[in-house]
Amino acid sequence: MGKMTAAPILVKCLKRMEYRGYDSVGLATISKKRILIKKGVGKVDDVNKLLHLEKLNGSVGIGHTRWATHGGVTYKNAHPHQDCKNEIAIVHNGIIENYNELKKSLITKGHKFKSETDSEVIAHMIGEFLNKNNNIKKAVINVANKLKGTYAFVAILNDGTLVGARYDEPLIVGVAKDGYYISSDVLGFIEYTDQAIFLDNNEFVIIDSESLTIYDANGSKVKKRITRIAWELADVDKGKFAHHTLKEINEQKHMISKAFSIRQSDFQEFVNVLASSKKILITGSGSSYHAALIAKQLLSKFCKLQCETILSSEFQYSSNVLTKDSVLLAISQSGETADLLQIVKTVKESKAKILSLVNVTTSSLARASNLFLGINCGPEIGVAATKSFTAQLSLIYRITNELSIPTMRININEIGKFVNNILNSSKNIVKIAEQIKHIGNIYVLGRGLHFPIALEAALKLKELVYVHAEGIPAGELKHGPLALMDENTIVIMLNPQDETYEDTLSNVYEIKARNAIIVGVSNVNNNKYDEWIKIPKAKDLVYPLLEVIPLQLLAYYTAVKRESNPDYPRNLAKSVTVK
Ligand code: F6R
């Protein structure tokens, strides 16, 4: 909301936010006290080309890109949604768990619903309340009290008022000279202002032509601090690369040294808390969980710390008890993953310390942590984690360096050079991508520190290539997976010359005897490999970092060859802020 026409700005902002969801897109603006809406199925550019979203009039507006949870990917389910009288339009992130019950009650009062979404109830509820009592502040409090689940919603009223409210979903206000912005990520408005106000849970904001006011759940005014956001805009463009994913894979040559350039004073307290804790429970989801698995191996083996890992989504069913002398080490790129924030909430009550490694240092996770270290890899736009994963690993290496004996320490400058060499030899990977692009089953095998990378490589192949890919601990081969091996399977063996080398080589022979096609990832070649992805000879504990990069490239190039867009894999969203 501001002095400028809202629609072209909203279209630009939505393009930056597209990584959050890209099933459909929609805009609502206010012109001459009327709400104008345009929306459609597809990505921002495509829908805009077709419907000219940016041509909507008005200086107040809202926009949304959707990642479908309730209701299919259809025009009707695209946001914004309206009340019956078209006096209110809303966009919503999250899940309203009791929407069925609310919807039924609204229908008995005469409301007519147009979509299958849970979100639409919010527009009708605000409408219902405003009908009886024309007070938007009271309406928001009333609606918030009735909603169960998670939400960040923004509503516009046809009188030009803009309202935003949140519970367990992020919502941030951008304060610029010529207007205000409300977004679920600072990337939504970073082109226009670097001044942000982070709303806390249960807070809401009302912006009209005269003022911006933030309230708590009871409606009392809250004074909030303006935070200056440090990220550079240049980082969110693709530059010379065909895709964000490729750009981000290439940026990894700088990631490692960044982790090592964090000031020692910022780092020391974090490391001290880890070193003095009785037990460390390391958690994350997806790729961040794979980083957690590596952290566990390094911290327990080389630093003699008591560590366990748990998938964030499994914590609630586990019997994990953390006492006040334990630490939860939470790993996340976004810092907004719902499963992870759920653990943080539970652990906070136990008084255990919460330490996090997080990329978005203004995120809910960073703000809920006792201490955090920024993984500092800049915005990651490609939906699949690439540079954030290696940046997490780099920070884990730095922690390991600090807490282990000197002979285990790694040389950071050397690793930077290795990564550069790997990135410069992608020709071979492109060739392998051509070979595997029609294969339906890919297995990635590794032992010890390589097993989490097997999981990570398989995840990249699933996400980008839409192929069945499985990470398997190589030692388990004979206990079942060997039955799957035949001439139609590709098996990627993670096998550099370290303590796992000989045993994994035995698996190579067993698999070759069943005629599977083997891609060896190693510093040395072997005549049983049909293809060899060469990585440099390095210190044993560094191999995970070196072997994951060519496999990210393999997933990327195979996706491109199959003509899918690696930046926006189907059905996925970057920040999984719903459970
Ligand atoms: C995989 C991927 C996801 C995320 C997971 C956790 O490529 O991107 O598996 O790693 O959703 O997200 P963060 O790290 O933001 O908590």
Side-chain angles (χ1 to χ4, degrees), residues 410-566:
I410 62 170
N411 175 345
I412 199 58
N413 295 328
E414 188 183 62
I415 301 174
K417 273 189 221 141
F418 288 162
V419 171
N420 212 6
N421 290 346
I422 293 170
L423 290 167
N424 289 337
S425 50
S426 58
K427 242 189 183 165
N428 180 36
I429 311 277
V430 177
K431 189 187 96 196
I432 302 172
E434 181 62 34
Q435 264 177 273
I436 70 168
K437 71 177 184 195
H438 295 305
I439 297 276
N441 292 300
I442 302 180
Y443 302 102
V444 193
L445 270 65
R447 291 164 184 258
L449 276 173
H450 308 290
F451 172 53
I453 298 299
L455 294 175
E456 177 59 13
L459 183 61
K460 293 292 91 98
L461 287 161
K462 282 176 210 166
E463 286 176 300
L464 301 188
V465 186
Y466 315 147
V467 65
H468 169 235
E470 231 180 291
I472 298 173
E476 291 300 294
L477 189 67
K478 289 196 213 63
H479 302 294
L482 197 55
L484 297 166
M485 303 299 157
D486 64 22
E487 64 283 3
N488 298 315
T489 48
I490 292 264
V491 186
I492 300 173
M493 301 299 295
L494 304 178
N495 197 23
Q497 276 178 314
D498 64 5
E499 59 175 354
T500 68
Y501 180 70
E502 293 299 337
D503 285 340
T504 305
L505 205 55
S506 305
N507 299 130
V508 169
Y509 288 111
E510 288 154 6
I511 293 166
K512 198 68 226 165
R514 274 84 189 172
N515 299 321
I517 303 155
I518 299 187
V519 178
V521 182
S522 180
N523 56 308
V524 282
N525 201 353
N526 186 286
N527 62 8
K528 296 287 176 215
Y529 298 155
D530 296 277
E531 294 295 339
W532 175 37
I533 295 178
K534 184 180 176 187
I535 56 170
K537 171 83 189 134
K539 214 172 191 143
D540 289 4
L541 72 169
V542 177
Y543 282 124
L545 195 67
L546 302 182
E547 61 200 5
V548 75
I549 294 172
L551 297 175
Q552 292 169 342
L553 282 169
L554 185 64
Y556 169 79
Y557 284 117
T558 315
V560 171
K561 285 189 183 292
R562 287 174 59 138
E563 291 179 6
S564 41
N565 184 342

Side-chain angles (χ1 to χ4, degrees), residues 59-323:
S59 58
V60 179
I62 52 177
H64 189 262
T65 57
R66 180 167 183 250
W67 178 50
T69 58
H70 290 57
V73 180
T74 62
Y75 166 82
K76 281 189 176 166
N77 291 337
H79 297 216
H81 296 290
Q82 286 179 278
D83 68 322
C84 293
K85 292 183 165 174
N86 297 349
E87 289 173 348
I88 298 150
I90 67 102
V91 290
H92 162 238
N93 287 344
I95 292 179
I96 306 302
E97 286 161 9
N98 58 338
Y99 84 100
N100 252 328
E101 192 184 302
L102 295 167
K103 191 169 173 174
K104 271 186 207 149
S105 142
L106 286 158
I107 288 171
T108 58
K109 289 178 183 147
H111 287 257
K112 298 220 164 19
F113 281 76
K114 291 190 182 130
S115 77
E116 304 151 319
T117 65
D118 52 335
S119 310
E120 193 182 343
V121 292
I122 300 172
H124 291 272
M125 285 168 79
I126 298 177
E128 175 72 19
F129 193 89
L130 286 181
N131 258 344
K132 289 191 208 136
N133 180 340
N134 195 19
N135 180 325
I136 184 62
K137 183 178 145 191
K138 284 190 180 156
V140 177
I141 297 172
N142 190 279
V143 170
N145 282 338
K146 289 190 173 138
L147 295 178
K148 288 202 180 110
T150 62
Y151 58 81
F153 70 78
V154 183
I156 45 171
L157 276 52
N158 64 346
D159 66 0
T161 309
L162 188 65
V163 179
R166 71 161 288 215
Y167 182 76
D168 274 0
E169 286 280 339
L171 203 61
I172 306 148
V173 180
V175 182
K177 280 201 189 89
D178 46 8
Y180 296 110
Y181 300 80
I182 307 180
S183 175
S184 54
D185 189 326
V186 293
L187 284 180
F189 54 71
I190 195 158
E191 188 171 345
Y192 300 95
T193 179
D194 62 356
Q195 309 287 308
I197 301 172
F198 290 83
L199 294 190
D200 284 311
N201 255 352
N202 290 314
E203 289 179 345
F204 62 97
V205 56
I206 299 181
I207 307 174
D208 58 28
S209 53
E210 269 136 49
S211 61
L212 174 151
T213 318
I214 297 171
Y215 301 95
D216 67 14
N218 303 317
S220 306
K221 284 187 187 173
V222 204
K223 263 203 153 161
K224 302 285 289 186
R225 204 164 52 91
I226 293 189
T227 307
R228 180 143 185 243
I229 317 150
W231 281 359
E232 286 159 25
L233 182 61
D235 278 355
V236 294
D237 290 326
K238 277 191 291 210
K240 63 176 185 179
F241 294 93
H243 296 99
H244 287 288
T245 308
L246 185 59
K247 175 181 175 237
E248 287 159 7
I249 291 174
N250 273 278
E251 282 172 351
Q252 293 177 113
K253 51 181 169 257
H254 310 301
M255 290 314 80
I256 300 138
S257 53
K258 270 195 175 175
F260 278 74
S261 64
I262 296 176
R263 275 201 317 242
Q264 187 65 21
S265 52
D266 293 342
F267 188 70
Q268 200 59 53
E269 192 185 354
F270 193 96
V271 168
N272 290 348
V273 174
L274 282 182
S276 58
S277 65
K278 215 167 159 188
K279 171 177 155 187
I280 304 169
L281 183 64
I282 317 175
T283 191
S285 302
S287 297
S288 295
Y289 175 67
H290 301 152
L293 292 174
I294 292 181
K296 182 204 154 154
Q297 291 198 39
L298 294 178
L299 296 180
S300 52
K301 192 164 174 183
F302 301 115
C303 311
K304 308 291 174 228
L305 299 176
Q306 274 296 326
C307 301
E308 279 174 36
T309 51
I310 189 152
L311 274 164
S312 301
S313 55
E314 286 292 318
F315 181 79
Q316 61 184 309
Y317 315 111
S318 77
S319 56
N320 266 292
V321 180
L322 289 181
T323 51

Side-chain angles (χ1 to χ4, degrees), residues 284-289 331-337 340 380 383-386 388 392 456 459-460 463 573-576:
S285 302
S287 297
S288 295
Y289 175 67
I331 305 181
S332 175
Q333 187 282 126
S334 62
E336 299 295 351
T337 301
L340 182 61
E380 189 176 61
V383 165
T386 53
S388 65
Q392 288 165 352
E456 177 59 13
L459 183 61
K460 293 292 91 98
E463 286 176 300
K574 181 83 184 152
S575 288
V576 188

